[in-house]
Amino acid sequence: MHYFERLKVKDALMSTVGQEDVIILGWVRTKRVSKNIAFIEVNDGSTLSNLQLVMEPDNFPVLDEINTGTSIKVVGDLVSSQGGKQAWEVVVKKLEVVGDCPTDYPLQKKRHSMEFLREIAHLRPRTNTYGVLNRFRSKLAYAVHQFYQERGFYYIHTPIITASDCEGAGEMFRITTFDLDKVPMIDGHVDFSQDFFGQETSLTVSGQLEAELLATAIGDVYTFSPTFRAENSNTSRHVAEFWMIEPEMAFCDLEENMKVIEAFLKYLCQYALDNCQEEMEFFNKWVDQSHTRIQTMENIVKSEFGIVSYTEAIKILEKADRKFDFSVEWGIDLQSEHERYLTEDHFKRPMMVIDYPKDIKAFYMRMNEDGKTVRAVDVLVPQVGEIVGGSQREERLDVLIERMKELNMTTEEIEWYLDIRRWGSVPHSGFGMGFERMLMYMSGISNIRDVIPFPRTPGNAKF
Ligand code: 4AD
Ligand code: MG
């Protein structure tokens, strides 16, 4: 048997002509048997819709062994359907069980809650919702590459194992080969010089610092990689392992960076409207309770993003007719409730907030003339909040060293980063988009644990 000779359900359903003796391989979703006729709905994961198989039950005693979840092999003729619900169906000539499926299979035909399905994340890809989400994720990942490749960006691979904390937030997962019962100590501290890399290392929180090295060598680059954060925040928007897209551009200031961000977001939305109709219709109907997902994506593509400075945003929040849990004053880090007020209630569209206070942003951001704010940009969108964070980078060696001193950072470990400011320094900028946050926004899924197949969150690394 040559498995590749099969016809995928997706291609069967999109067929323009009938075909004889097609081979269909898949899993049974439902079976209906009456005296003269039997129907099986089969799905192979290639698309949302099932393919209907029709047969006379008397000729197929194997029907008794078939349950929801059974994998089967079918040979039959693809013919235009009598029923009308679907264009094509298969009149079965041969039917075999490939792998049986006892009736205690947890995914029987009924609606399961997202919470229950998270507990069986190894099986949930087989449900309609997660099938749609996983196919959507794949298509959008392709769109990410297409956007940058079409614009002459080079795809680069930055290290997963690193000795530097790019964001300076101390949220890193440590890597070691030490026997944890016998960790070598020196002067009361762990002696990392005896560890695998001869120094303390962690999983990266961002590929940005290395992306800057590549951007100042080959121009426009982007990463699309897993990143890791040991943030102990059990929210619906944080996971400990997520995928980030980080473009970095030499000879680029904040304004140009913002243009790329806006073009990128719009491109992904347009791509979904053009190439993921099945998925977008599903989200619109079944996921987004207001049934406005498609309209929202269309609006994004059409309208301009708003731009507001952090200082103005604080003024808006201070005047808001709303009591916030976290009080508002200049200098605070915007909380999720503040971000959502700005984008959902006040501006009612995606917003770019720029020029944040230096004290709430990372060391590498370019200082503004006022000496208090930095050339940062965060993009906030309704329902999700922050979806992109970026900045123009500090390219002036003296200013950067000064800033690092203020933050009590030692320059030794990171001389390599300073070197790009020593030899032919250029203005450069970039940003990071959380891929899962973007998928949440586009699908209307409200919990980040549902847009990544195997979420990693505090207390949970199962599967
Ligand atoms: O704002 P962040 O921390 O920015 C950076 O890492 C920069 N180095 C990016 C750059 O300029 N190259 O993270 C960027 C984005 C956030 O806007 C958010 O979308 C996502 O990454 N993100 C997370 N997504 C899921 N779970 C988490 N714990 C996330 N933390 C950040
Ligand atoms: Mg951020």
Side-chain angles (χ1 to χ4, degrees), residues 111-382:
R111 290 201 77 176
H112 300 283
S113 72
M114 303 292 257
E115 288 74 21
F116 168 72
L117 290 171
R118 249 172 250 147
E119 286 167 23
I120 52 165
H122 59 305
L123 297 175
R124 70 178 182 172
R126 299 173 175 208
T127 64
N128 281 345
T129 304
Y130 291 94
V132 168
L133 281 168
N134 284 313
R135 287 186 292 271
F136 188 61
R137 198 178 156 106
S138 167
K139 292 181 186 182
L140 262 289
Y142 183 75
V144 166
H145 286 291
Q146 199 157 296
F147 176 84
Y148 290 106
Q149 296 288 334
E150 280 171 3
R151 282 159 187 74
F153 283 62
Y154 295 110
Y155 176 38
I156 57 162
H157 298 136
T158 49
I160 299 288
I161 300 174
T162 175
S164 44
D165 181 359
C166 173
E167 296 306 302
E171 290 167 339
M172 302 187 81
F173 289 102
R174 193 164 285 129
I175 292 183
T176 179
T177 52
F178 281 151
D179 175 348
L180 294 184
D181 295 325
K182 287 182 273 177
V183 175
M185 303 293 285
I186 186 165
D187 303 333
H189 294 285
V190 176
D191 182 8
F192 284 107
S193 70
Q194 294 187 46
D195 204 351
F196 189 91
F197 295 107
Q199 61 177 336
E200 192 175 352
T201 52
S202 304
L203 295 176
T204 190
V205 295
S206 159
Q208 180 197 319
L209 303 186
E210 293 87 355
E212 286 185 50
L213 298 178
L214 274 286
T216 53
I218 58 172
D220 296 336
V221 299
Y222 70 103
T223 71
F224 188 178
S225 323
T227 44
F228 308 87
R229 302 215 178 164
E231 270 167 297
N232 206 351
S233 46
N234 232 323
T235 78
S236 59
R237 308 177 314 132
H238 290 89
V239 272
E241 175 178 303
F242 64 99
W243 285 70
M244 186 151 56
I245 300 128
E246 294 188 278
E248 191 69 32
M249 296 156 281
F251 303 105
C252 177
D253 64 15
L254 186 70
E255 283 69 28
E256 290 160 317
N257 195 19
M258 287 159 66
K259 291 209 175 87
V260 178
I261 297 176
E262 185 163 346
F264 180 40
L265 265 84
K266 287 183 170 175
Y267 184 92
L268 294 183
C269 296
Q270 186 67 57
Y271 186 92
L273 292 168
D274 293 343
N275 299 286
C276 312
Q277 276 112 336
E278 180 177 272
E279 291 83 2
M280 288 311 301
E281 275 161 26
F282 183 91
F283 299 142
N284 211 56
K285 187 162 177 204
W286 298 106
V287 176
D288 179 356
Q289 289 180 351
S290 58
H291 310 297
T292 53
R293 229 5 52 188
I294 291 178
Q295 204 194 325
T296 305
M297 292 304 111
E298 286 168 350
N299 289 343
I300 299 285
V301 174
K302 278 196 297 239
S303 57
E304 278 193 20
F305 290 15
I307 301 175
V308 66
S309 72
Y310 170 90
T311 303
E312 285 166 59
I314 290 292
K315 284 186 191 144
I316 292 166
L317 292 169
E318 279 170 342
K319 284 194 213 124
D321 53 359
R322 166 86 53 99
K323 186 97 190 73
F324 294 112
D325 294 339
F326 291 86
S327 61
V328 177
E329 62 176 327
W330 198 94
I332 61 156
D333 203 355
L334 296 182
Q335 300 295 318
S336 162
E337 55 174 344
H338 306 136
E339 294 178 343
R340 292 187 62 165
Y341 176 82
L342 289 170
T343 170
E344 280 167 32
D345 301 305
H346 190 84
F347 291 103
K348 300 187 170 60
R349 59 184 164 136
M351 288 302 301
M352 304 215 208
V353 183
I354 59 169
D355 295 333
Y356 281 80
K358 64 178 182 185
D359 293 332
I360 57 171
K361 288 294 180 189
F363 75 99
Y364 52 71
M365 297 192 183
R366 193 177 200 279
M367 191 69 69
N368 278 317
E369 300 290 288
D370 62 13
K372 289 193 306 196
T373 60
V374 288
R375 301 249 74 193
V377 55
D378 274 10
V379 180
L380 313 179
V381 296

Side-chain angles (χ1 to χ4, degrees), residues 57-73:
D58 289 348
N59 300 336
F60 298 94
V62 70
L63 272 169
D64 291 341
E65 296 165 33
I66 289 177
N67 301 315
T68 295
T70 303
S71 51
I72 56 171
K73 177 186 169 190

